[in-house]
Amino acid sequence: MKPETIRAVRGVQDILPAQTPAWQHAEAVARGAFHRYGFGEIKIPVFEKTRLFARGIGESTDIVHKEMYTFEDRSGDSLTLRPEATASIVRAYREHHLDKTGDVTKVYFIGPMFRYERPQAGRFRQFHQIDCEVFGASHPAVDAEIIALAWEILSALGLTGLGLEINTLGDPGDRPAYLKALRAYFADHLDRLCEDCDRRFQENPLRILDCKKPGCLAVAAASPALLDHVSRASRETFEKVLRLLDEEKIPHRVNPRLVRGLDYYTHTAFEITAEGLGAQNAVAGGGRYDGLVETLGGPPTPATGFAIGMERLISLLPETGDDRDGRKVFLVALGEGASERAFGWAQQWRRAGLSVLWDFDGRGLKAQMKKADRSGAAFAVLIGEDEIEAGAARVRDLRDGVQRPVPFDEIPARILEGLS
Ligand code: HAM
């Protein structure tokens, strides 16, 4: 019997060599921006103790309630594949005493996250985030700064039609009065809410505002607005963030019902949307979470951050046109004499800094040129008996078809210079 063909798990994707240049480009742009804003890179584990996420993200959230990849390891400990980075970074920040530097700590992380969601366009079970967090600074300028940073990364990558939705969740002290108002409002509309929102009503009515079902959205649209229930100080802090965004000419829309899907937010919460994403239109989201370090056992610590969804980001990158690699050559060796020396030339040119491919099987000119064309190389270097005799190869620029003789010992240097 023929063995079963094993395919990838639903909702997870391979990222193939033809696609990785876009991923590398996005990461390079993000790393450059993080560097300019004073962030250092952190690397966190793929899995953590389940209770870190349960406590950090909140029991009443969809993520903790039904989307975590949780398993028992061989010693019976409950572990979970990270559904986001913030809780892990808070744990690492405490565990390694990054708070003891007495200064603001700025870290970023790029890597995969895992959520058991219903897969669809722009929504996966393994997806990647570009995440950053700032600890130890409560000034609203820090919120404006990270929003400007996210905006800068997305703009530098050529995304268009960006929109910023922003809200304030106020101080934790503002919350009880608002929850009371929400409860009173939703109590009159329970028959119009979905089953999940029935549970949310009991556990945390704030979560109803995050439900995407049309019926619940319609009810939520007329619910009390957070902004009307926050203290004067919270409102002033929020206004300061908005003013700084105006200064940076970052257009924004205050969405008084934006609460985001994680429980830890206080004060500023935001999402960046982009044209062309359809229903899953948030390419980035974040906000301030001044209570999370304390929830996870540390001292009160102001903190703020965001995450960009990489799959959504990559799907929006503009086409780059001809993307042949100017440092890549395909060596077309013709005839026995050249074929025998091809290995040595390829090694020599690689040591000089070129990326080199060649045809081990010594096929004919036409077949090798076809391979050269498909390889993404910018140059084909043709060497046969005549070229060996003349001491110069024919170097053909595959972008414009121009061909020139180049002495063997000058090949890598001339190509690296752009072959003028
Ligand atoms: P989040 O809104 O859950 O926030 O995720 C941030 C971004 O990750 C989303 O805007 C989206 O682009 C992407 N994303 C989320 N889930 C999926 C999925 N299933 N498939 C594809 N992309 C997805 C957080 O994770 C917070 N930790 C952000 C943060 C950092 N807040 C403060 N610091």
Side-chain angles (χ1 to χ4, degrees):
M1 205 174 68
K2 217 171 145 223
E4 172 209 6
T5 306
I6 301 168
R7 305 183 69 92
V9 173
R10 193 167 126 79
V12 315
Q13 307 190 96
D14 299 304
I15 301 162
L16 302 174
Q19 301 160 326
T20 47
W23 287 74
Q24 287 165 2
H25 175 56
E27 285 193 20
V29 166
R31 285 177 199 280
F34 284 131
H35 184 251
R36 288 194 302 282
Y37 281 75
F39 284 76
E41 184 172 10
I42 187 170
K43 291 193 185 271
I44 49 170
V46 166
F47 52 85
E48 299 270 4
K49 291 178 183 153
T50 300
R51 55 187 187 279
L52 174 74
F53 299 120
R55 217 191 313 152
I57 300 170
E59 299 276 2
S60 71
T61 61
D62 279 359
I63 297 180
V64 172
H65 194 75
K66 52 186 184 190
E67 294 172 359
M68 295 209 298
Y69 277 94
T70 297
F71 59 97
E72 258 187 24
D73 73 0
R74 286 170 190 275
S75 44
D77 290 330
S78 178
L79 304 177
T80 293
L81 300 185
R82 58 174 183 233
E84 60 117 40
T86 313
S88 298
I89 294 177
V90 169
R91 179 201 49 70
Y93 169 78
R94 290 280 303 140
E95 197 163 326
H96 303 288
H97 309 292
L98 302 183
D99 50 339
K100 295 289 183 309
T101 59
D103 203 358
V104 173
T105 305
K106 294 175 151 188
V107 292
Y108 77 91
F109 172 72
I110 302 176
M113 307 294 158
F114 308 87
R115 294 184 194 173
Y116 190 80
E117 295 199 76
R118 198 166 54 79
Q120 53 179 274
R123 200 199 274 164
F124 305 95
R125 289 183 173 170
Q126 175 175 323
F127 59 97
H128 296 72
Q129 284 184 345
I130 296 174
D131 178 280
C132 73
E133 315 292 349
V134 181
F135 297 99
S138 57
H139 199 283
V142 186
D143 295 357
E145 202 174 87
I146 61 155
I147 294 172
L149 167 56
W151 197 264
E152 188 173 315
I153 294 172
L154 300 174
S155 308
L157 286 166
L159 265 60
T160 52
L162 293 178
L164 171 65
E165 298 219 347
I166 189 164
N167 192 19
T168 177
L169 296 181
D171 211 70
D174 302 335
R175 198 64 61 85
Y178 180 59
L179 288 181
K180 203 169 155 203
L182 271 187
R183 273 216 175 84
Y185 172 80
F186 285 120
D188 290 339
H189 298 89
L190 280 181
D191 51 332
R192 290 172 63 201
L193 297 179
C194 72
E195 224 170 87
D196 277 335
C197 282
D198 276 347
R199 171 181 58 81
R200 293 174 183 135
F201 178 78
Q202 302 300 334
E203 291 177 0
N204 180 2
L206 207 64
R207 296 266 64 91
I208 301 175
L209 301 181
D210 209 36
C211 183
K212 302 288 180 282
K213 299 214 174 78
C216 303
L217 276 173
V219 177
S223 64
L226 247 163
L227 210 48
D228 298 331
H229 288 80
V230 300
S231 67
R232 200 182 160 146
S234 299
R235 191 182 262 277
E236 279 170 11
T237 304
F238 185 51
E239 278 161 8
K240 174 100 196 185
V241 176
L242 300 184
R243 257 203 316 281
L244 293 171
L245 292 174
D246 284 337
E247 233 175 73
E248 272 294 289
K249 305 210 166 29
I250 297 178
H252 46 81
R253 186 175 84 84
V254 175
N255 174 353
R257 289 178 188 83
L258 178 75
V259 291
R260 310 217 354 91
L262 307 102
D263 268 353
Y264 45 62
Y265 293 109
T266 54
H267 296 290
T268 313
F270 66 93
E271 280 183 0
I272 301 180
T273 56
E275 211 170 57
L277 275 180
Q280 307 298 322
N281 66 351
V283 65
R288 185 163 276 287
Y289 52 95
D290 290 347
L292 182 58
V293 176
E294 210 176 349
T295 304
L296 294 174
T301 308
T304 185
F306 69 78
I308 296 174
M310 286 196 79
E311 280 73 7
R312 296 184 193 176
L313 169 65
I314 303 290
S315 75
L316 293 168
L317 294 189
E319 293 287 332
T320 48
D322 192 355
D323 52 2
R324 287 187 182 276
D325 182 345
R327 295 172 152 249
K328 189 168 177 181
V329 306
F330 195 100
L331 166 56
V332 178
L334 300 161
E336 218 170 288
S339 289
E340 267 172 23
R341 294 171 62 182
F343 175 83
W345 283 320
Q347 288 297 92
Q348 193 188 333
W349 299 345
R350 285 174 185 141
R351 278 192 289 272
L354 286 180
S355 156
V356 187
L357 293 174
W358 59 285
D359 179 41
F360 308 106
D361 298 324
R363 269 169 260 247
L365 173 65
K366 216 168 145 192
Q368 289 202 50
M369 285 307 291
K370 204 164 161 185
K371 283 190 154 203
D373 195 45
R374 283 194 193 144
S375 70
F379 298 99
V381 181
L382 290 84
I383 307 180
E385 300 306 322
D386 293 350
E387 285 73 27
I388 292 180
E389 205 160 296
R394 279 181 289 150
V395 178
R396 180 200 284 259
D397 190 326
L398 294 168
R399 293 165 293 199
D400 57 14
V402 174
Q403 194 163 291
R404 345 165 144 68
V406 178
F408 286 148
D409 54 356
E410 292 177 20
I411 288 173
R414 291 275 304 277
I415 289 177
L416 289 170
E417 282 164 11
L419 204 76
S420 48

